[in-house]
Amino acid sequence: AQSVAQPEDQVNVAEGNPLTVKCTYSVSGNPYLFWYVQYPNRGLQFLLKYITGDNLVKGSYGFEAEFNKSQTSFHLKKPSALVSDSALYFCAVRDRGDNFNKFYFGSGTKLNVKP
Amino acid sequence: GAGVSQSPSNKVTEKGKDVELRCDPISGHTALYWYRQSLGQGLEFLIYFQGNSAPDKSGLPSDRFSAERTGGSVSTLTIQRTQQEDSAVYLCASSLGQIQETQYFGPGTRLLVL
């Protein structure tokens, strides 16, 4: 079955330290990959996406993610975390093939950045 | 410009009643999506429209759920005979037509079924 996994419900990191939010997927072929962020009491916002080309994608607010085809992963990273990065992060995947009508989201990872 | 709007922002209804949720996409966006976000859980994909047609309705949780889109713009999600387990935030998103395009989300409708 097609799916997206975010293995960590919560990630805690100190301000200034690097952060990683993990995402793995199980979708046939080469999917489109996305990261979205949901701040408290606010809607979902787009962070970045992988379509094709360079495996390292840079997005909003200093975030980046690396597409690893062999590991079917698309981990979100930031070199130096800010307290304002604390939010709920969702990985999402869309099939390029016959199942393109569906869009799969992970269960979300809550990022807590402490001063 | 204006983003995706949804109405109502909150809806409280009694079990067994029908509810209708509305989504106004960004002007010019041909693709429209509905999701459900239950408390403390991720997003559950419900349905996708390209123009007025929804090629795949298998994401709808039951036959009590239906969605339509007319004029390639506004969409309504209807839940008949609501149940308490339908309580959730219903999110709508829109995008340009290509499947790799970024989705822009509305603020959601918070539905509570008593």
Side-chain angles (χ1 to χ4, degrees):
Chain A
Q2 321 264 39
S3 68
V4 181
Q6 291 181 243
E8 301 152 318
D9 290 338
Q10 187 167 295
V11 169
N12 299 311
V13 64
E15 187 174 33
N17 284 359
L19 69 88
T20 298
V21 182
K22 295 180 180 177
C23 172
T24 60
Y25 62 90
S26 172
V27 174
S28 58
N30 292 322
Y32 299 116
L33 300 159
F34 302 79
W35 275 100
Y36 286 84
V37 59
Q38 188 173 37
Y39 296 103
N41 300 314
R42 292 171 63 180
L44 276 158
Q45 298 177 28
F46 168 77
L47 269 183
L48 53 78
K49 64 182 176 183
Y50 171 80
I51 303 300
T52 188
D54 194 345
N55 289 343
L56 183 64
V57 178
K58 294 186 183 296
S60 308
Y61 313 119
F63 283 93
E64 58 188 30
E66 185 166 11
F67 169 56
N68 188 318
K69 186 175 180 179
S70 63
Q71 296 184 2
T72 61
S73 67
F74 190 56
H75 301 330
L76 181 69
K77 299 182 180 183
K78 188 173 181 180
S80 179
L82 300 173
V83 172
S84 57
D85 293 330
S86 298
L88 188 57
Y89 290 80
F90 290 97
C91 179
V93 173
R94 187 170 198 173
D95 195 347
R96 295 177 194 244
D98 294 341
N99 286 319
F100 73 93
N101 292 316
K102 292 191 171 79
F103 211 91
Y104 303 94
F105 274 78
S107 56
T109 298
K110 186 178 181 184
L111 175 65
N112 296 312
V113 182
K114 299 186 177 178
Chain B
V4 177
S5 61
Q6 292 184 246
S7 60
S9 54
N10 290 282
K11 177 72 176 179
V12 181
T13 190
E14 293 179 348
K15 177 182 173 181
K17 300 283 188 182
D18 296 352
V19 296
E20 195 171 275
L21 312 180
R22 176 187 169 107
C23 172
D24 276 277
I26 293 172
S27 178
H29 281 189
T30 58
L32 186 145
Y33 308 79
W34 282 101
Y35 297 88
R36 178 168 69 176
Q37 186 176 22
S38 301
L39 186 63
Q41 298 188 20
L43 274 71
E44 177 187 6
F45 172 80
L46 299 180
I47 194 167
Y48 150 67
F49 286 93
Q50 180 58 43
N52 290 335
S53 66
D56 186 341
K57 299 182 180 180
S58 62
L60 296 174
S62 76
D63 59 8
R64 296 186 295 104
F65 286 72
S66 63
E68 65 175 15
R69 189 180 186 196
T70 54
S73 182
V74 171
S75 175
T76 54
L77 177 69
T78 301
I79 309 173
Q80 295 178 309
R81 304 181 303 281
T82 52
Q83 304 294 313
Q84 289 182 332
E85 61 263 29
D86 299 335
S87 297
V89 176
Y90 289 82
L91 293 169
C92 174
S94 72
S95 74
L96 294 170
Q98 299 300 314
I99 62 173
Q100 71 270 28
E101 294 291 344
T102 299
Q103 294 180 38
Y104 295 88
F105 283 81
T109 293
R110 189 175 299 273
L111 175 66
L112 178 61
V113 182
L114 300 176

